[in-house]
Amino acid sequence: MSGPRPKPEPHSAQDAASDVVRWAAFSCVLVPVVLLWYGTSPAAAAGTTVGLTAVTVACRYLLRRSERPLPPETEPHREPGTPHRAPRRAPHRAPRQTARGGGRHTRSGTPVD
């Protein structure tokens, strides 16, 4: 019988992002190999590799960007104790009404799905 297991150390956000990117890079290699194994053309496997790599690079960029703190000058100056208020927006106008009403229209007499 084994004794109690030690609790694992919590992962930081950077470690979690690195793990996600590592698994994504592994899938960029594994998926085309499996596709070739099951008889997919090499061109299709290469296209899949390019697509998965592009998505992985974009996700890695977004993950790294989300980990960076905001520069201090981007936050508006507020007095301590005052609540944060969203900036005011212009009121929305009602959509323009047409003679037939709104919605999608096709040529007359053509049924719409």
Side-chain angles (χ1 to χ4, degrees), residues 5-52:
R5 294 183 194 173
K7 292 186 179 182
E9 295 180 21
H11 293 299
S12 69
Q14 187 173 8
D15 290 341
S18 295
D19 288 344
V20 168
V21 171
R22 195 174 298 122
W23 278 107
F26 174 71
S27 72
C28 287
V29 174
L30 181 65
V31 169
V33 170
V34 170
L35 287 173
L36 288 172
W37 181 268
Y38 281 100
T40 304
S41 70
T48 302
T49 302
V50 170
L52 286 173

Side-chain angles (χ1 to χ4, degrees), residues 22-98:
R22 195 174 298 122
W23 278 107
F26 174 71
S27 72
C28 287
V29 174
L30 181 65
V31 169
V33 170
V34 170
L35 287 173
L36 288 172
W37 181 268
Y38 281 100
T40 304
S41 70
T48 302
T49 302
V50 170
L52 286 173
T53 303
V55 169
T56 301
V57 168
C59 289
R60 180 180 185 273
Y61 170 75
L62 292 172
L63 281 168
R64 298 292 181 220
R65 185 176 169 199
S66 70
E67 291 174 348
R68 284 185 277 168
L70 288 175
E73 65 269 1
T74 60
E75 295 181 15
H77 177 70
R78 290 184 306 195
E79 294 296 323
T82 59
H84 174 71
R85 292 191 179 137
R88 300 192 82 181
R89 295 182 180 178
H92 292 287
R93 293 177 29 198
R96 199 173 112 200
Q97 297 295 321
T98 61

